[in-house]
Amino acid sequence: MTEFSAATELAQELPYKLIHQGKVRDIYKVDDSSLLLVSTDRVSAYNANIGSKIPDRGCILTQLSVFWASTLSSTIGNHLIQDSTLTLPQWARSRSIHVKKLRMLPIEAIVRGYITGSLYENYSKSESNTVYGHDLAEGLLNGSKLPRPIFTPTKKSENDEPLETWDEFVKEVGDENLAKKIKDATMQIYETASEYADRVGIIIADTKLEFGLDEDNKLVLADEVLTPDSSRFWLKEEWAPGGSLNSLDKQFIRNFLTEEGLRGKHGVTLPQEIIDQTLARYRMVYEKITGKVYELSSVS
């Protein structure tokens, strides 16, 4: 069996019930208060499932999330269960995390320190330079650093609808005090992570975070954290606004799909060169940020 095959086969190996299979991750119920999150090697982009897998993708994303959760623990609590005693098969150990069950909030907290991606796409089409509720300066290039990071949350949905006003965000969250906590936590996480990444030669252009509430209604950082799937990373030494931005993240796959006219199409088979280069980028981010050498999985 391959390292990560059909969910039905894997469910037979795990003594837990598969309760949700997402585009790239599977969730198992451990007990009434905890879950097992398994990050697969499946890939999605532009809300479409890609037909190819990126070897070790799930392991790298999981280990990076664990690293960041620990690094940011003085800033905000997280959903990881420390010293978990779960016994898992070899294929699952480096790509799984045992977490507390939370009441997940229906928003994605996005913070952007640089103008790129959809922010730049909309900016370049805007006559007023107002994008996602923010007034931006004239003449910004793709990759320009913003004077200060901006908060651009979205509503969780098939197309992640932008919440462009504060009132829209508060309404979606359901409480203004909670909304303020989410925004403050998001901006603090980005500031702390960006400062750390800068020291190792990495720029975090933007990132998407998710939060939940624990049994005491305390705000908790959840889901994956500051990975190449949820963030945009560039090498500091190569950063050149307006030029070619060498993405060390999933944007590399998005760029390929756009260039080939495959954006939004399901089941696309990626060329081996794109798979290899994507893995190399993910490994580079992992190694620069953690300071550890990533050993490719030997499970087959």
Side-chain angles (χ1 to χ4, degrees):
M1 184 178 70
T2 57
E3 184 185 4
F4 198 95
S5 57
T8 52
E9 294 180 26
L10 293 176
Q12 295 174 5
E13 291 191 22
L14 291 172
Y16 312 112
K17 180 181 179 181
L18 177 66
I19 59 174
H20 178 74
Q21 183 176 32
K23 290 186 178 72
V24 297
R25 189 171 57 192
D26 297 335
I27 303 176
Y28 295 81
K29 178 181 178 181
V30 175
D31 52 42
D32 289 341
S33 61
S34 69
L35 304 168
L36 183 70
L37 308 186
V38 182
S39 186
T40 77
D41 294 338
R42 302 192 297 265
V43 184
S44 71
Y46 295 124
N47 290 319
N49 296 316
I50 304 301
S52 305
K53 296 178 182 178
I54 305 298
D56 280 66
R57 168 199 168 279
C59 299
I60 292 173
L61 299 192
T62 297
Q63 296 310 308
L64 263 177
S65 292
V66 170
F67 170 84
W68 281 118
S70 175
T71 301
L72 297 165
S73 60
S74 61
T75 300
I76 187 171
N78 58 71
H79 63 164
L80 299 182
I81 294 178
Q82 302 298 329
D83 301 320
S84 172
T85 58
L86 296 188
T87 300
L88 301 173
Q90 185 178 355
W91 64 263
R93 292 171 192 168
S94 60
R95 64 173 68 245
S96 304
I97 50 175
H98 187 196
V99 303
K100 294 174 286 188
K101 191 174 182 179
L102 303 174
R103 178 163 65 87
M104 296 300 294
L105 298 173
I107 57 91
E108 292 181 333
I110 299 171
V111 55
R112 304 171 188 268
Y114 296 74
I115 182 169
T116 191
S118 64
L119 182 63
Y120 181 74
E121 288 178 12
N122 288 297
Y123 170 81
S124 62
K125 299 173 185 176
S126 174
E127 296 181 358
S128 65
N129 297 330
T130 299
V131 187
Y132 298 149
H134 293 272
D135 296 325
L136 304 178
E138 293 186 6
L140 296 177
L141 303 174
N142 187 21
S144 292
K145 185 175 183 178
L146 299 172
R148 63 187 62 83
I150 61 175
F151 184 60
T152 62
T154 61
K155 175 183 177 179
K156 286 183 184 177
S157 66
E158 187 63 27
N159 297 310
D160 296 334
E161 304 167 31
L163 299 169
E164 298 192 2
T165 69
W166 179 250
D167 287 345
E168 288 177 340
F169 179 57
V170 171
K171 181 180 179 180
E172 198 61 36
V173 170
D175 179 86
E176 185 163 18
N177 287 332
L178 178 58
K180 289 178 180 177
K181 289 180 181 179
I182 294 169
K183 180 180 179 181
D184 289 347
T186 299
M187 305 307 281
Q188 183 60 55
I189 288 169
Y190 181 74
E191 179 182 350
T192 301
S194 294
E195 290 175 354
Y196 176 94
D198 182 75
R199 293 196 294 270
V200 296
I202 293 286
I203 289 173
I204 304 176
D206 55 38
T207 194
K208 174 181 68 178
L209 301 169
E210 294 194 38
F211 297 91
L213 298 176
D214 65 14
E215 57 187 5
D216 298 319
N217 279 329
K218 183 178 179 180
L219 187 68
V220 175
L221 181 61
D223 204 74
E224 64 180 89
V225 183
L226 291 153
T227 73
D229 265 26
S230 64
S231 315
R232 287 186 176 89
F233 296 106
W234 303 325
L235 282 175
K236 184 178 177 181
E237 62 186 18
E238 294 181 355
W239 174 55
S244 177
L245 298 170
N246 186 20
S247 300
L248 305 178
D249 49 72
K250 192 165 66 173
Q251 188 62 42
F252 180 70
I253 294 177
R254 295 190 194 103
N255 291 345
F256 166 78
L257 296 172
T258 300
E259 291 166 4
E260 297 297 318
L262 299 172
R263 181 170 177 163
K265 294 187 177 181
H266 290 278
V268 173
T269 299
L270 299 175
Q272 190 61 46
E273 179 183 5
I274 298 299
I275 292 173
D276 293 343
Q277 290 189 38
T278 301
L279 175 57
R281 283 164 166 75
Y282 279 37
R283 285 185 68 181
M284 181 185 293
V285 168
Y286 172 88
E287 292 180 350
K288 280 186 169 293
I289 288 176
T290 67
K292 300 177 181 178
V293 176
Y294 182 81
E295 300 292 343
L296 290 175
S297 172
S298 61
V299 179
S300 61

